[in-house]
């Protein structure tokens, strides 16, 4: 499943896309420890696969939460750590 | 002199019992309870067929709302909670269904419910809820393949519509039809923020716009907002709309016009899609378990 967590407001659209079918097979789940803002968490999805998601209280503040990593101009730490290439950003 | 206070936002709560099933003599009763931010629904299935449902406003206490909704659904059926083999809680308040056996996200349940209501050809579902809207893609079995939601602001949601209903002193259920009583479609109001939209609507009324014209501008704005969400997640036909706003033709027809497509016509109350999906998943789980046990 492709899960898009985030929002659109007057300043733009801020979504983190996670391909949960890829991260269900990933045992490392490096994104969780790589994110300096601790935005990622795991949960058992509706089919009992352990998948990664963006924590509920962070979903409406991604522009601010991810600003530090985005400012570096490099590939974000979560994407660098993701072995399955399951994470992408809309901005 | 007492001033009568009218609650224009208040939509009609309802319950229904399947007239084709006067007395239940089947083998399996399952239920789904969808506690949304604004409304709560309970659906009861008898051997996978809708038997009864209720649709009411979520009160300040979610567990109480869940109990009220299931009791109202069971009212004329002769059933008690003990007769229900398996119950799934879903929606924003899904953890607050005291009698549920399991919780499932509303996204999964809406896709399953829409698959039942609209048939297996539906691929894109727009769920317009009380305080968020979701664009969901699913396969022919109603399994979610992708979703995108926006709950950043009440603009583009049922709550936003209730705010405008109260502001203009128009019943929320009449907004859709009234919004077409204009000579030409006005430019939309702000669709980013419901507070901005409200103050813009007030300004337009003061400048001489009719209620109908303001409603048209508001419905237009709401349609534009959700169309952006649909376009971002991708549109694949067939297309269906669920949730309370699906009953507002002022928004649904404008979505169709902007996108140049026609949404499927519902065969049941679109507001029960989540609870219906939950009850269907409950049935599948029980059957799987029974098959395993032989």
């Amino acid at each position: 499943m492709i899960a898009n967590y985030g929002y659109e407001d007057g300043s733009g659209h801020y979504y983190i896309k996670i391909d949960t079918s890829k991260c269900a097979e990933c045992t490392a789940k490096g994104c969780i420890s790589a994110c300096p803002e601790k935005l990622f968490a795991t949960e058992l999805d509706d089919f009992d696969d352990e998948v990664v998601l963006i924590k509920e209280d962070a979903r409406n503040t991604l522009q601010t939460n991810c600003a530090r990593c985005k400012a570096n101009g490099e590939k974000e730490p979560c994407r660098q750590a993701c072995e399955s290439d399951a994470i992408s950003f809309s901005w | 002199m007492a001033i009568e206070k009218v609650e224009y936002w208040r939509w009609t709560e309802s319950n229904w019992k399947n007239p084709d099933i006067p007395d239940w003599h089947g083998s399996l009763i399952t239920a789904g309870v969808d506690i949304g931010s604004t409304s709560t629904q309970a659906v009861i299935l008898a051997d996978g067929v809708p038997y009864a449902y209720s649709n009411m406003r979520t009160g300040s206490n979610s567990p109480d709302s869940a109990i009220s909704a299931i009791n109202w659904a069971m009212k004329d059926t002769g059933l008690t909670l003990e007769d229900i083999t398996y119950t799934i809680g879903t929606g924003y308040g899904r953890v607050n269904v005291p009698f549920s056996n399991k919780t499932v996200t509303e996204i999964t349940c809406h896709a399953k419910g829409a698959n039942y209501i609209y048939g297996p050809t539906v691929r894109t579902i727009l769920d317009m809820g009380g305080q968020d809207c979701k664009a969901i893609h699913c396969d022919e079995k109603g399994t979610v393949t992708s979703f995108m939601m926006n709950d950043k602001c009440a603009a583009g949601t049922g709550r936003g519509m209730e705010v405008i209903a109260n502001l203009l002193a128009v019943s929320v259920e009449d907004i859709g039809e009234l919004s077409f009583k204009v000579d030409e479609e006005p430019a939309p109001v702000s669709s980013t923020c419901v507070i901005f939209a409200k103050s813009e609507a007030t300004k337009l009324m003061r400048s001489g716009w009719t209620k109908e014209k303001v409603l048209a501008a508001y419905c237009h704005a709401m349609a534009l907002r959700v169309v952006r969400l649909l376009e971002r997640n991708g549109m694949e036909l067939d297309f269906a709309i669920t949730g309370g706003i699906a009953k507002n033709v002022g928004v649904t027809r404008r979505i169709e016009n902007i996108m140049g497509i026609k949404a499927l016509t519902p065969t049941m109350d679109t507001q029960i899609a989540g609870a219906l999906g939950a009850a269907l998943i409950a049935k599948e789980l029980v059957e799987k378990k029974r098959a395993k046990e032989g």
Side-chain angles (χ1 to χ4, degrees), chain B residues 160-236:
Chain B
M161 198 55 93
E162 289 176 358
V163 167
I164 289 298
N166 264 1
L167 177 75
L168 301 183
V170 171
S171 165
V172 74
E173 290 167 342
D174 297 335
I175 285 177
E177 292 295 347
L178 282 175
S179 75
F180 289 113
K181 291 183 178 167
V182 287
D183 296 332
E184 60 177 282
E185 185 77 354
V189 294
S190 164
S191 63
T192 306
C193 167
V194 74
I195 304 299
F196 290 169
K198 190 180 169 186
S199 60
E200 208 177 323
T202 311
K203 208 167 90 184
L204 291 170
M205 287 291 286
R206 224 181 287 137
S207 70
W209 280 35
T210 62
K211 278 183 186 181
E212 289 80 3
K213 199 171 172 186
V214 176
L215 289 173
Y218 189 78
C219 290
H220 189 177
M222 191 179 265
L224 280 174
R225 182 180 166 107
V226 295
V227 163
R228 280 203 301 274
L229 188 74
L230 283 168
E231 286 176 343
R232 198 165 293 288
N233 201 40
M235 170 56 74
E236 198 185 328

Side-chain angles (χ1 to χ4, degrees), chain B residues 254-274:
Chain B
R254 284 180 173 88
I255 294 170
E256 290 175 336
N257 292 342
I258 295 166
M259 299 207 77
I261 55 170
K262 193 104 184 84
L264 294 172
T265 308
T267 53
M268 299 173 77
D269 186 339
T270 53
Q271 240 175 318
I272 65 159

